[in-house]
Short mmCIF file of all heavy atoms in Angstrom, two decimals:
data_model
loop_
_atom_site.label_atom_id
_atom_site.label_comp_id
_atom_site.label_asym_id
_atom_site.label_seq_id
_atom_site.Cartn_x
_atom_site.Cartn_y
_atom_site.Cartn_z
N ASP A 525 -107.82 17.95 39.77
CA ASP A 525 -107.07 19.19 40.00
C ASP A 525 -106.65 19.82 38.69
O ASP A 525 -106.72 21.04 38.54
CB ASP A 525 -105.83 18.90 40.86
CG ASP A 525 -106.17 18.60 42.33
OD1 ASP A 525 -107.32 18.82 42.74
OD2 ASP A 525 -105.25 18.10 43.03
N ARG A 526 -106.22 19.02 37.75
CA ARG A 526 -105.73 19.56 36.46
C ARG A 526 -106.88 20.20 35.68
O ARG A 526 -106.72 21.24 35.06
CB ARG A 526 -105.08 18.47 35.65
CG ARG A 526 -104.58 18.96 34.30
CD ARG A 526 -103.45 18.14 33.76
NE ARG A 526 -102.98 18.68 32.54
CZ ARG A 526 -102.02 19.59 32.42
NH1 ARG A 526 -101.42 20.05 33.49
NH2 ARG A 526 -101.64 20.03 31.25
N ILE A 527 -108.05 19.55 35.72
CA ILE A 527 -109.22 20.07 34.98
C ILE A 527 -109.83 21.25 35.75
O ILE A 527 -110.39 22.16 35.15
CB ILE A 527 -110.26 18.95 34.76
CG1 ILE A 527 -109.68 17.90 33.80
CG2 ILE A 527 -111.55 19.53 34.17
CD1 ILE A 527 -110.57 16.68 33.61
N GLY A 528 -109.72 21.21 37.08
CA GLY A 528 -110.31 22.27 37.89
C GLY A 528 -111.75 21.95 38.27
O GLY A 528 -112.63 22.79 38.20
N CYS A 529 -111.98 20.70 38.66
CA CYS A 529 -113.31 20.27 39.05
C CYS A 529 -113.23 19.33 40.23
O CYS A 529 -112.14 19.01 40.69
CB CYS A 529 -114.02 19.59 37.88
SG CYS A 529 -113.28 18.01 37.39
N SER A 530 -114.36 18.92 40.73
CA SER A 530 -114.37 17.93 41.82
C SER A 530 -114.06 16.55 41.23
O SER A 530 -114.04 16.39 40.00
CB SER A 530 -115.74 17.92 42.49
OG SER A 530 -116.69 17.31 41.64
N VAL A 531 -113.87 15.59 42.09
CA VAL A 531 -113.58 14.23 41.59
C VAL A 531 -114.81 13.53 41.02
O VAL A 531 -114.68 12.59 40.25
CB VAL A 531 -112.94 13.35 42.71
CG1 VAL A 531 -111.60 13.94 43.14
CG2 VAL A 531 -113.85 13.17 43.88
N GLN A 532 -116.01 14.02 41.37
CA GLN A 532 -117.23 13.33 40.93
C GLN A 532 -117.34 13.18 39.42
O GLN A 532 -117.61 12.08 38.95
CB GLN A 532 -118.48 14.07 41.50
CG GLN A 532 -119.77 13.31 41.29
CD GLN A 532 -119.72 11.91 41.89
OE1 GLN A 532 -119.21 11.70 42.99
NE2 GLN A 532 -120.20 10.92 41.15
N PRO A 533 -117.12 14.23 38.63
CA PRO A 533 -117.21 14.03 37.17
C PRO A 533 -116.16 13.07 36.63
O PRO A 533 -116.39 12.34 35.66
CB PRO A 533 -117.00 15.41 36.56
CG PRO A 533 -117.11 16.38 37.70
CD PRO A 533 -116.88 15.63 38.96
N ILE A 534 -115.02 13.03 37.28
CA ILE A 534 -113.95 12.13 36.85
C ILE A 534 -114.40 10.68 37.07
O ILE A 534 -114.23 9.82 36.18
CB ILE A 534 -112.63 12.40 37.61
CG1 ILE A 534 -112.24 13.86 37.56
CG2 ILE A 534 -111.52 11.49 37.05
CD1 ILE A 534 -112.14 14.47 36.19
N TYR A 535 -114.99 10.42 38.23
CA TYR A 535 -115.46 9.04 38.51
C TYR A 535 -116.52 8.59 37.51
O TYR A 535 -116.61 7.41 37.20
CB TYR A 535 -116.02 8.96 39.94
CG TYR A 535 -114.95 8.80 40.97
CD1 TYR A 535 -114.77 9.77 41.96
CD2 TYR A 535 -114.11 7.70 40.98
CE1 TYR A 535 -113.78 9.63 42.93
CE2 TYR A 535 -113.11 7.57 41.92
CZ TYR A 535 -112.94 8.52 42.91
OH TYR A 535 -111.97 8.38 43.84
N SER A 536 -117.29 9.53 36.97
CA SER A 536 -118.31 9.13 36.00
C SER A 536 -117.68 8.57 34.72
O SER A 536 -118.29 7.77 34.02
CB SER A 536 -119.26 10.28 35.70
OG SER A 536 -118.59 11.29 34.99
N TYR A 537 -116.45 9.00 34.40
CA TYR A 537 -115.76 8.48 33.23
C TYR A 537 -114.74 7.41 33.57
O TYR A 537 -114.24 6.73 32.68
CB TYR A 537 -115.05 9.62 32.49
CG TYR A 537 -116.02 10.59 31.88
CD1 TYR A 537 -116.09 11.90 32.32
CD2 TYR A 537 -116.86 10.20 30.84
CE1 TYR A 537 -116.97 12.79 31.76
CE2 TYR A 537 -117.76 11.08 30.28
CZ TYR A 537 -117.81 12.39 30.74
OH TYR A 537 -118.70 13.26 30.20
N CYS A 538 -114.38 7.31 34.82
CA CYS A 538 -113.31 6.41 35.25
C CYS A 538 -113.82 5.32 36.19
O CYS A 538 -113.31 5.15 37.28
CB CYS A 538 -112.21 7.19 35.96
SG CYS A 538 -111.41 8.39 34.92
N LYS A 539 -114.85 4.63 35.75
CA LYS A 539 -115.33 3.54 36.57
C LYS A 539 -114.20 2.50 36.74
O LYS A 539 -114.16 1.76 37.70
CB LYS A 539 -116.55 2.92 35.91
CG LYS A 539 -117.75 3.85 35.93
CD LYS A 539 -118.90 3.26 35.17
CE LYS A 539 -120.12 4.13 35.15
NZ LYS A 539 -119.92 5.51 34.79
N ASN A 540 -113.30 2.51 35.77
CA ASN A 540 -112.20 1.57 35.79
C ASN A 540 -110.92 2.34 35.41
O ASN A 540 -110.76 2.73 34.26
CB ASN A 540 -112.47 0.47 34.76
CG ASN A 540 -111.38 -0.55 34.67
OD1 ASN A 540 -110.25 -0.33 35.12
ND2 ASN A 540 -111.71 -1.68 34.04
N MET A 541 -110.05 2.59 36.37
CA MET A 541 -108.82 3.35 36.10
C MET A 541 -107.93 2.63 35.10
O MET A 541 -107.21 3.26 34.34
CB MET A 541 -108.05 3.61 37.40
CG MET A 541 -108.60 4.74 38.23
SD MET A 541 -108.66 6.32 37.37
CE MET A 541 -106.96 6.78 37.38
N GLU A 542 -107.98 1.30 35.07
CA GLU A 542 -107.17 0.57 34.10
C GLU A 542 -107.60 0.93 32.67
O GLU A 542 -106.76 1.04 31.78
CB GLU A 542 -107.27 -0.95 34.33
CG GLU A 542 -106.33 -1.76 33.46
CD GLU A 542 -104.86 -1.31 33.56
OE1 GLU A 542 -104.40 -0.89 34.62
OE2 GLU A 542 -104.16 -1.41 32.51
N GLY A 543 -108.88 1.10 32.46
CA GLY A 543 -109.36 1.52 31.15
C GLY A 543 -108.83 2.89 30.76
O GLY A 543 -108.42 3.09 29.61
N LEU A 544 -108.79 3.80 31.71
CA LEU A 544 -108.24 5.13 31.45
C LEU A 544 -106.75 5.04 31.14
O LEU A 544 -106.24 5.67 30.24
CB LEU A 544 -108.50 6.06 32.62
CG LEU A 544 -107.93 7.48 32.47
CD1 LEU A 544 -108.52 8.20 31.26
CD2 LEU A 544 -108.16 8.28 33.75
N ARG A 545 -106.06 4.21 31.90
CA ARG A 545 -104.61 4.04 31.66
C ARG A 545 -104.37 3.46 30.26
O ARG A 545 -103.40 3.83 29.58
CB ARG A 545 -104.00 3.15 32.73
CG ARG A 545 -103.84 3.89 34.06
CD ARG A 545 -103.04 3.10 35.07
NE ARG A 545 -102.91 3.84 36.29
CZ ARG A 545 -103.69 3.74 37.37
NH1 ARG A 545 -104.68 2.87 37.35
NH2 ARG A 545 -103.49 4.48 38.43
N GLN A 546 -105.23 2.56 29.82
CA GLN A 546 -105.10 2.01 28.46
C GLN A 546 -105.31 3.10 27.41
O GLN A 546 -104.63 3.11 26.36
CB GLN A 546 -106.07 0.85 28.24
CG GLN A 546 -105.73 -0.40 29.03
CD GLN A 546 -104.32 -0.91 28.77
OE1 GLN A 546 -103.85 -0.97 27.64
NE2 GLN A 546 -103.61 -1.22 29.85
N GLU A 547 -106.21 4.03 27.70
CA GLU A 547 -106.40 5.15 26.76
C GLU A 547 -105.18 6.06 26.76
O GLU A 547 -104.78 6.57 25.70
CB GLU A 547 -107.66 5.94 27.13
CG GLU A 547 -108.92 5.13 26.85
CD GLU A 547 -110.18 5.97 26.89
OE1 GLU A 547 -110.21 7.04 26.26
OE2 GLU A 547 -111.13 5.53 27.56
N VAL A 548 -104.56 6.24 27.91
CA VAL A 548 -103.32 7.03 27.98
C VAL A 548 -102.20 6.31 27.20
O VAL A 548 -101.46 6.96 26.46
CB VAL A 548 -102.91 7.29 29.46
CG1 VAL A 548 -101.51 7.89 29.53
CG2 VAL A 548 -103.93 8.21 30.14
N ILE A 549 -102.13 5.01 27.33
CA ILE A 549 -101.12 4.24 26.59
C ILE A 549 -101.37 4.37 25.08
O ILE A 549 -100.43 4.57 24.30
CB ILE A 549 -101.12 2.75 27.02
CG1 ILE A 549 -100.56 2.65 28.44
CG2 ILE A 549 -100.36 1.87 26.05
CD1 ILE A 549 -100.75 1.28 29.10
N ALA A 550 -102.63 4.29 24.64
CA ALA A 550 -102.96 4.44 23.22
C ALA A 550 -102.58 5.85 22.75
O ALA A 550 -102.00 6.00 21.66
CB ALA A 550 -104.43 4.17 22.99
N ARG A 551 -102.88 6.86 23.53
CA ARG A 551 -102.53 8.24 23.18
C ARG A 551 -101.02 8.39 23.11
O ARG A 551 -100.49 9.08 22.25
CB ARG A 551 -103.14 9.19 24.21
CG ARG A 551 -102.79 10.65 24.07
CD ARG A 551 -103.67 11.44 23.09
NE ARG A 551 -105.06 11.34 23.32
CZ ARG A 551 -105.81 12.19 24.00
NH1 ARG A 551 -105.27 13.22 24.61
NH2 ARG A 551 -107.13 12.02 24.08
N THR A 552 -100.31 7.72 24.02
CA THR A 552 -98.85 7.75 24.03
C THR A 552 -98.32 7.14 22.72
O THR A 552 -97.41 7.68 22.10
CB THR A 552 -98.27 6.99 25.24
OG1 THR A 552 -98.74 7.64 26.44
CG2 THR A 552 -96.78 6.94 25.22
N GLY A 553 -98.90 6.02 22.31
CA GLY A 553 -98.48 5.39 21.06
C GLY A 553 -98.65 6.32 19.87
O GLY A 553 -97.74 6.44 19.02
N SER A 554 -99.77 7.03 19.80
CA SER A 554 -100.00 7.99 18.71
C SER A 554 -99.00 9.12 18.76
O SER A 554 -98.46 9.56 17.76
CB SER A 554 -101.43 8.55 18.79
OG SER A 554 -102.36 7.52 18.63
N PHE A 555 -98.75 9.63 19.97
CA PHE A 555 -97.79 10.70 20.16
C PHE A 555 -96.40 10.27 19.66
O PHE A 555 -95.72 11.00 18.95
CB PHE A 555 -97.72 11.11 21.64
CG PHE A 555 -96.71 12.18 21.91
CD1 PHE A 555 -97.07 13.52 21.93
CD2 PHE A 555 -95.38 11.85 22.17
CE1 PHE A 555 -96.12 14.52 22.18
CE2 PHE A 555 -94.42 12.85 22.41
CZ PHE A 555 -94.81 14.17 22.42
N ILE A 556 -96.00 9.05 20.04
CA ILE A 556 -94.67 8.56 19.68
C ILE A 556 -94.56 8.35 18.17
O ILE A 556 -93.55 8.70 17.57
CB ILE A 556 -94.34 7.28 20.46
CG1 ILE A 556 -94.09 7.66 21.93
CG2 ILE A 556 -93.14 6.55 19.86
CD1 ILE A 556 -93.91 6.51 22.87
N GLN A 557 -95.58 7.81 17.54
CA GLN A 557 -95.55 7.66 16.08
C GLN A 557 -95.34 9.01 15.40
O GLN A 557 -94.51 9.11 14.48
CB GLN A 557 -96.85 7.04 15.57
CG GLN A 557 -96.97 5.57 15.84
CD GLN A 557 -98.30 5.00 15.33
OE1 GLN A 557 -99.24 5.73 15.05
NE2 GLN A 557 -98.36 3.69 15.24
N HIS A 558 -96.04 10.02 15.85
CA HIS A 558 -95.89 11.36 15.28
C HIS A 558 -94.50 11.91 15.58
O HIS A 558 -93.84 12.48 14.69
CB HIS A 558 -96.96 12.31 15.84
CG HIS A 558 -96.87 13.67 15.26
ND1 HIS A 558 -96.24 14.71 15.91
CD2 HIS A 558 -97.32 14.18 14.09
CE1 HIS A 558 -96.29 15.79 15.18
NE2 HIS A 558 -96.94 15.49 14.06
N PHE A 559 -94.02 11.73 16.81
CA PHE A 559 -92.71 12.22 17.19
C PHE A 559 -91.63 11.60 16.29
O PHE A 559 -90.78 12.30 15.75
CB PHE A 559 -92.41 11.89 18.66
CG PHE A 559 -91.11 12.39 19.18
CD1 PHE A 559 -91.04 13.60 19.87
CD2 PHE A 559 -89.91 11.71 18.97
CE1 PHE A 559 -89.84 14.10 20.34
CE2 PHE A 559 -88.70 12.20 19.43
CZ PHE A 559 -88.67 13.41 20.13
N ILE A 560 -91.65 10.27 16.15
CA ILE A 560 -90.64 9.58 15.34
C ILE A 560 -90.72 10.04 13.90
O ILE A 560 -89.69 10.35 13.26
CB ILE A 560 -90.79 8.03 15.44
CG1 ILE A 560 -90.64 7.56 16.90
CG2 ILE A 560 -89.86 7.31 14.51
CD1 ILE A 560 -89.32 7.89 17.56
N ALA A 561 -91.92 10.13 13.35
CA ALA A 561 -92.09 10.53 11.95
C ALA A 561 -91.52 11.92 11.70
O ALA A 561 -90.94 12.17 10.63
CB ALA A 561 -93.58 10.49 11.55
N THR A 562 -91.65 12.83 12.66
CA THR A 562 -91.16 14.19 12.45
C THR A 562 -89.66 14.34 12.76
O THR A 562 -89.09 15.40 12.50
CB THR A 562 -91.94 15.19 13.32
OG1 THR A 562 -91.82 14.85 14.70
CG2 THR A 562 -93.38 15.25 12.93
N HIS A 563 -89.03 13.29 13.26
CA HIS A 563 -87.59 13.35 13.57
C HIS A 563 -86.76 12.44 12.68
O HIS A 563 -85.59 12.19 12.97
CB HIS A 563 -87.36 12.99 15.06
CG HIS A 563 -87.81 14.08 15.98
ND1 HIS A 563 -89.14 14.22 16.33
CD2 HIS A 563 -87.13 15.05 16.62
CE1 HIS A 563 -89.24 15.25 17.16
NE2 HIS A 563 -88.06 15.77 17.34
#
Side-chain angles (χ1 to χ4, degrees):
D525 288 348
R526 180 155 182 90
I527 294 173
C529 67
S530 72
V531 297
Q532 190 56 42
I534 309 306
Y535 279 118
S536 68
Y537 293 114
C538 298
K539 293 175 179 49
N540 179 344
M541 281 302 286
E542 186 54 34
L544 178 60
R545 286 188 179 95
Q546 290 305 315
E547 291 193 49
V548 170
I549 289 169
R551 175 85 52 96
T552 298
S554 297
F555 178 93
I556 288 172
Q557 284 179 345
H558 182 262
F559 183 96
I560 299 301
T562 59
H563 288 80

